[in-house]
């Protein structure tokens, strides 16, 4: 019978660490929820929808880290040609895009309240969408074709091309202004002191979840790479591929 | 020729003036208030005490945001789990086939 989760083949310390991360993540998210809705006060102008901030901003951080890992993995893959780096690049691109989807979902819901419209072609929002499209094309390339050497190289190049756009997202608000609020960065108004615990807890929750997801996805990708090499061996032996 | 062109231009001008005139109420703007100052717009978070009446349902938007985020995260869990199960199954079958051939 096939193992049911990516940790099923782990042993000893790694398995304990894996379980610890899962438990910590399962505790931190409800804690963030509690701090955001019970401890943090209702905001004067935005009302209840300001609570979106506590999931939107940590998700944006997860998006940056994920895509940075994708670019780093891509760069190292082009240099070393090691499948380990390719697995890091793929996992980073997938998880970065997952958090980008959360950002692009929660942002417009915030915008509906703040600006009266779900979408504005603001520099930061537009550059986030553009970068998400680049990493989506990475995932489409890896998802629809066999992961041969050429596909891996091309995907690695895409991950590297997307990386400078992270700086564009970060600094577009300072450079071109726009509608996107600047609260935490320099020039922003800051947040009420009772809102800080929810935000800090949100960042911790996303960090733990990110590490856990990366670990799981890299392990699965390494398995897939092993499967691909075994399929080659089976073909050489004349067994024929079953998957 | 010149006269007909002038008449056409005159009619176009009158038509344009009517369109702009009709659209004027729609484009009219209220007097700016202190709340319209862009520098104040959601750039500083301040606490408010007591119930706060909202025109746009902030609670609904917040519930959709949190629920949507969790659907995406749980969907990704499911995807990775399924990918792992399928890969592990294929690996086991292939190892068995290769092992049988070796022995």
């Amino acid at each position: 019978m096939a193992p049911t989760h990516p940790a099923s083949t782990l042993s000893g310390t790694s398995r304990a660490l894996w379980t610890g991360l899962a438990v910590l993540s399962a505790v931190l998210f409800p804690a963030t929820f509690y701090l955001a809705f019970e401890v943090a006060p209702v905001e004067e102008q935005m009302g209840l929808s300001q609570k979106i901030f506590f999931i939107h901003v940590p998700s944006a951080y997860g998006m940056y880290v994920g895509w940075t890992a994708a670019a780093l993995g891509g760069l190292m893959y082009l240099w070393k040609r090691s499948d380990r780096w390719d697995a890091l690049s793929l996992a980073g691109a997938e998880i970065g895009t997952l958090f980008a989807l959360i950002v692009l979902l929660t942002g417009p819901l915030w915008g509906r309240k703040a600006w009266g419209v779900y979408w504005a072609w603001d520099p930061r929002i537009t550059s986030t969408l553009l970068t998400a499209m680049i990493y989506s094309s990475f995932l489409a390339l890896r998802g629809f074709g066999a992961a041969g050497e050429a596909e891996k190289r091309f995907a690695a190049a895409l991950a590297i091309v997307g990386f400078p756009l992270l700086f564009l997202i970060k600094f577009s608000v300072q450079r071109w202004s726009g509608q996107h609020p600047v609260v935490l960065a320099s020039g922003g108004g800051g947040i009420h002191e009772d809102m800080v615990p929810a935000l800090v807890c949100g960042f911790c929750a996303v960090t733990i979840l990110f590490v856990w997801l990366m670990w799981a996805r890299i392990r699965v990708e390494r398995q897939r790479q092993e499967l691909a090499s075994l399929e080659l061996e089976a073909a050489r032996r004349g067994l024929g591929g079953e998957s | 020729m010149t006269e007909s062109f002038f008449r056409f231009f005159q009619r176009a001008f009158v038509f344009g003036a009517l369109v702009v005139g009709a659209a004027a109420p729609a484009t009219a703007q209220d007097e700016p208030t202190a709340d319209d100052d862009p520098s104040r717009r959601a750039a500083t978070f301040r606490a408010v005490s007591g119930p706060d009446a909202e025109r746009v349902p902030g609670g609904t938007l917040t519930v959709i945001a949190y629920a949507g985020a969790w659907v995406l995260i749980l969907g990704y869990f499911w995807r990775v789990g399924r990918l792992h199960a399928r890969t592990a199954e294929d690996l086991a079958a292939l190892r068995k086939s290769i092992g049988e051939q070796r022995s």
Side-chain angles (χ1 to χ4, degrees), chain B residues 36-58:
Chain B
D36 292 332
D37 180 3
S39 63
R40 283 196 46 163
R41 212 174 294 154
T44 308
F45 295 152
R46 292 181 295 271
V48 64
S49 57
D52 186 30
E54 297 187 40
R55 278 178 297 172
V56 177

Side-chain angles (χ1 to χ4, degrees), chain A residues 172-197:
Chain A
S172 55
V173 173
Q174 282 93 331
R175 182 70 183 81
W176 296 294
S177 183
Q179 284 171 279
H180 194 284
V182 180
V183 179
L184 298 174
S186 60
I191 60 175
H192 187 274
E193 60 184 28
D194 289 342
M195 295 173 182
V196 174

Side-chain angles (χ1 to χ4, degrees), chain A residues 3-22 211-220 222-223, chain B residues 84 88:
Chain A
T4 52
H5 59 85
S8 50
T9 51
L10 286 174
S11 59
T13 317
S14 299
R15 196 178 177 86
L17 186 61
W18 172 276
T19 311
L21 285 175
V211 171
W212 194 57
L213 285 176
M214 283 293 281
W215 192 355
R217 188 62 187 92
I218 288 172
R219 278 185 66 78
V220 172
R222 294 292 291 154
Q223 268 189 325
Chain B
H84 168 74

Side-chain angles (χ1 to χ4, degrees), chain A residues 69-79 85-86 88-89 138 155-157 159-160:
Chain A
L72 175 71
L75 188 69
M76 293 305 289
Y77 177 75
L78 289 182
W79 184 23
W85 292 112
D86 177 64
L88 174 74
S89 185
F138 174 110
I160 296 165

Side-chain angles (χ1 to χ4, degrees), chain A:
Chain A
M1 184 170 168
T4 52
H5 59 85
S8 50
T9 51
L10 286 174
S11 59
T13 317
S14 299
R15 196 178 177 86
L17 186 61
W18 172 276
T19 311
L21 285 175
V23 170
L24 202 56
S25 185
V27 168
L28 282 172
F29 272 101
T32 305
F33 196 77
Y34 172 78
L35 290 168
F37 285 88
E38 288 294 324
V39 176
V42 175
E43 206 276 321
E44 186 186 24
Q45 288 182 31
M46 288 290 291
L48 265 180
S49 46
Q50 186 273 332
K51 311 286 184 195
I52 294 173
F53 176 81
F54 301 115
I55 195 166
H56 180 80
V57 176
S59 297
Y61 147 75
M63 173 190 86
Y64 282 123
V65 179
W67 286 343
T68 302
L72 175 71
L75 188 69
M76 293 305 289
Y77 177 75
L78 289 182
W79 184 23
K80 301 276 187 188
R81 295 296 155 90
S82 160
D83 280 344
R84 285 175 189 276
W85 292 112
D86 177 64
L88 174 74
S89 185
L90 182 62
E94 269 190 17
I95 295 161
T97 306
L98 169 73
F99 282 114
L101 286 176
I102 296 174
V103 168
L104 291 171
L105 169 78
T106 55
L109 291 166
W110 165 288
R112 175 70 183 87
K113 176 72 179 177
W115 312 321
V117 289
Y118 286 106
W119 189 263
W121 293 103
D122 164 274
R124 174 170 278 184
I125 301 169
T126 309
S127 54
T128 304
L129 180 67
L130 180 67
T131 316
M133 287 165 80
I134 288 179
Y135 284 98
S136 298
S137 59
F138 174 110
L139 297 177
L141 176 69
R142 295 301 299 270
F144 291 116
E149 176 67 18
E151 286 85 1
K152 286 178 182 176
R153 280 206 317 247
F154 196 78
L158 266 177
I160 296 165
V161 164
F163 182 67
L165 293 178
L166 301 185
F167 295 95
L168 187 70
I169 297 171
K170 178 77 182 84
F171 297 108
S172 55
V173 173
Q174 282 93 331
R175 182 70 183 81
W176 296 294
S177 183
Q179 284 171 279
H180 194 284
V182 180
V183 179
L184 298 174
S186 60
I191 60 175
H192 187 274
E193 60 184 28
D194 289 342
M195 295 173 182
V196 174
L199 185 63
V200 171
C201 196
F203 273 111
C204 294
V206 164
T207 304
I208 301 294
L209 179 69
F210 178 84
V211 171
W212 194 57
L213 285 176
M214 283 293 281
W215 192 355
R217 188 62 187 92
I218 288 172
R219 278 185 66 78
V220 172
E221 192 53 27
R222 294 292 291 154
Q223 268 189 325
R224 279 161 56 89
Q225 289 166 355
E226 190 188 344
L227 178 67
S229 65
L230 274 181
E231 278 174 344
L232 272 178
E233 190 186 333
R236 274 199 300 270
R237 287 166 180 268
L239 286 170
E242 289 180 40
S243 52

Side-chain angles (χ1 to χ4, degrees), chain B residues 75-94:
Chain B
Y76 188 70
F77 280 167
W78 177 78
R79 184 183 173 275
V80 172
R82 200 184 59 151
L83 195 63
H84 168 74
R86 211 170 50 201
T87 310
E89 208 175 280
D90 289 349
L91 258 179
L94 208 51

